[in-house]
Amino acid sequence: ALVSTIPGINEVLFNDLGEAQWAAAAISELAVKGIVSGDENKNFRPNDILKREEFIKMLVDAMGIYDSRAKCDFEDVEEDKWYYSYIASAYKHGLVNGISDTLAGVGQPLSRQDMVVLAVRAAEGRMEFAQKREMAVFADAEGISEYAKEAVEKLYVSGIVNGMGEDMFMPHGTATRAQGALII
């Protein structure tokens, strides 16, 4: 069980972060700030697939750009769903364009490269990307989509994102909830 590292708070935040100890501190910090939450059993489910709308919510909350009046007209974003205002807020601020002109990709797993692209869009103009290391030569670099190459390099050289072992980035691999929290 992860107990909060925030002074004065000795509450068990999540019971299952032993599955992702490498991200536990980041998840704890985001939970205390109200940016991430777990289920009714105090499980974060760090290795579960990260859906597009879940990551968009985390970005919107982390950036403080939630706007309950924001609007969007993606066909798969229903106004009565919990994610509507988050996606609309992200759209209003230019973070999301959708997976097409008409779809936001609700319910779809978020790829690692799209997670990185969204994170860079959210951070640009708000933080500097300091170069802490040289760009890795990933064995699957040709698989990184053209639109994501610059974002992957920015986050990799700044030490924010890593590969997945064996010199692979796995751009089309599915992001997990722990990976999303760590990037935020």
Side-chain angles (χ1 to χ4, degrees):
L2 176 71
V3 177
S4 172
T5 57
I6 308 301
I9 300 177
N10 293 320
E11 170 186 357
V12 172
L13 298 176
F14 301 112
N15 296 314
D16 60 348
L17 292 188
E19 300 171 19
Q21 290 181 350
W22 51 271
I27 294 167
S28 173
E29 184 176 337
L30 293 179
V32 169
K33 292 179 178 179
I35 295 170
V36 299
S37 60
D39 63 20
E40 65 278 357
N41 298 316
K42 291 196 172 194
N43 290 317
F44 181 71
R45 302 180 329 272
N47 295 316
D48 279 10
I49 290 170
L50 181 61
K51 294 182 181 171
R52 295 182 66 84
E53 64 271 21
E54 291 173 330
F55 191 62
I56 290 167
K57 178 200 180 296
M58 290 193 295
L59 283 175
V60 166
D61 283 344
M63 294 174 56
I65 61 167
Y66 181 80
D67 180 350
S68 62
R69 296 177 311 248
K71 300 284 182 201
C72 67
D73 58 0
F74 295 113
E75 292 173 10
D76 59 344
V77 181
E78 300 173 44
E79 279 193 65
D80 62 343
K81 300 294 184 185
W82 68 265
Y83 50 74
Y84 178 84
S85 292
Y86 292 100
I87 293 173
S89 297
Y91 180 75
K92 175 181 175 180
H93 289 275
L95 297 184
V96 296
N97 304 318
I99 59 170
S100 73
D101 290 341
T102 58
L103 299 174
V106 168
Q108 293 187 14
L110 184 65
S111 70
R112 286 177 43 81
Q113 71 178 3
D114 284 356
M115 175 179 62
V116 168
V117 167
L118 289 170
V120 167
R121 282 186 195 152
E124 284 184 326
R126 292 177 171 80
M127 69 171 280
E128 294 292 319
F129 295 99
Q131 183 165 348
K132 296 181 178 179
R133 59 186 175 186
E134 294 299 314
M135 182 60 188
V137 179
F138 292 115
D140 59 352
E142 289 184 14
I144 300 172
S145 299
E146 197 59 41
Y147 70 86
K149 287 181 179 181
E150 183 180 346
V152 169
E153 183 170 351
K154 274 185 181 181
L155 290 192
Y156 183 83
V157 300
S158 63
I160 296 171
V161 71
N162 294 306
M164 293 293 292
E166 300 179 21
D167 299 324
M168 304 291 277
F169 183 74
M170 297 180 68
H172 300 283
T174 303
T176 66
R177 288 172 49 85
Q179 290 169 350
L182 188 61
I183 282 182
I184 296 213

